[in-house]
Amino acid sequence: MSVNGAMREVIGESASAVEKDPEALETGYLQLLHLVERLHRQLLDVIKDELERIGQTDINSVQALLLYNIGDAELTPGELRSRGHYLGSNVSYNLKQLVEKNYIRDERSNTDRRSKRVSLTETGLEVRDSISALFERQLSSVEQVGGVNNELIESTNKTLQRLERFWADQVRFRL
């Protein structure tokens, strides 16, 4: 399926509608841009709600998602940024906050003393596990309640991966 075809499927338009009306591609693309932004904010709201529900009020949803994405790994702040999860300055700020609150340990690299590596403490692992349990609960009902099945997820993931590659190429090759 083409990017256009996958986008049409994601936003619910028929293939013939876009082919007959080039403005439909523009409308659908702009809608997709807004949805991506809103979905990220909504995910942070869902995580914030879960943190409040379990009484974890000393960190925010961005920090909890950061803990979830670090998981069992030992990474540098640069590796976190390069994975595309976080904006540059926010990583440093949030990591500093998480170190101070004992969710993350940071250690200087043995090979390059200028470089730090971060990993989760026991407290950080507990938050990671809570967020993981949240996603597992959602997974058990996303199809029945949300009407989102595996085929739709695969199609949407393919579309978003193609957009990610397209946008990366826009920056990389200054298109």
Side-chain angles (χ1 to χ4, degrees):
M1 174 181 294
S2 71
V3 173
N4 294 344
M7 280 179 32
R8 286 188 301 267
E9 186 173 326
V10 169
I11 61 175
E13 293 186 25
S14 69
S16 61
V18 172
E19 290 165 4
K20 292 179 183 176
D21 182 5
E23 290 179 11
L25 178 61
E26 178 183 1
T27 301
Y29 181 72
L30 294 176
Q31 181 182 7
L32 184 80
L33 296 178
H34 293 292
L35 278 170
V36 167
E37 184 180 2
R38 284 198 326 255
L39 284 171
H40 180 67
R41 277 197 227 116
Q42 187 68 43
L43 172 62
L44 294 176
D45 286 346
V46 166
I47 293 171
K48 178 180 180 265
D49 183 63
E50 180 69 6
L51 292 172
E52 290 172 356
R53 196 176 67 68
I54 64 174
Q56 191 79 47
T57 58
D58 62 333
I59 62 172
N60 63 40
S61 55
V62 171
Q63 292 166 341
L65 189 58
L66 181 64
L67 295 173
Y68 176 80
N69 285 317
I70 291 172
D72 292 326
E74 185 177 285
L75 305 166
T76 67
E79 289 170 329
L80 285 168
R81 277 190 298 271
S82 69
R83 289 180 178 194
H85 297 297
Y86 314 97
L87 300 175
S89 63
N90 290 341
V91 172
S92 298
Y93 171 79
N94 284 313
L95 287 176
K96 181 180 178 196
Q97 293 290 308
L98 291 167
V99 168
E100 289 174 1
K101 295 175 183 178
N102 197 36
Y103 289 96
I104 287 182
R105 73 178 66 82
D106 67 340
E107 299 170 347
R108 295 269 175 211
S109 170
N110 290 333
T111 56
D112 181 358
R113 300 303 293 167
R114 296 170 296 171
S115 177
K116 283 187 175 182
R117 299 196 66 75
V118 297
S119 60
L120 302 185
T121 63
E122 284 300 317
T123 310
L125 288 168
E126 289 172 11
V127 172
R128 187 270 325 254
D129 291 345
S130 295
I131 301 304
S132 184
L134 164 67
F135 294 157
E136 286 296 322
R137 281 196 320 273
Q138 290 177 341
L139 186 59
S140 69
S141 64
V142 71
E143 187 169 13
Q144 297 83 4
V145 177
V148 178
N149 62 24
N150 190 48
E151 183 179 318
L152 185 57
I153 287 173
E154 286 180 14
S155 173
T156 303
N157 283 341
K158 185 181 282 186
T159 299
L160 293 174
Q161 288 165 349
R162 288 178 179 180
L163 282 171
E164 179 182 36
R165 188 171 47 245
F166 172 74
W167 289 336
D169 288 349
Q170 296 295 301
V171 173
R172 183 178 307 120
F173 302 116
R174 296 181 176 205
L175 301 176

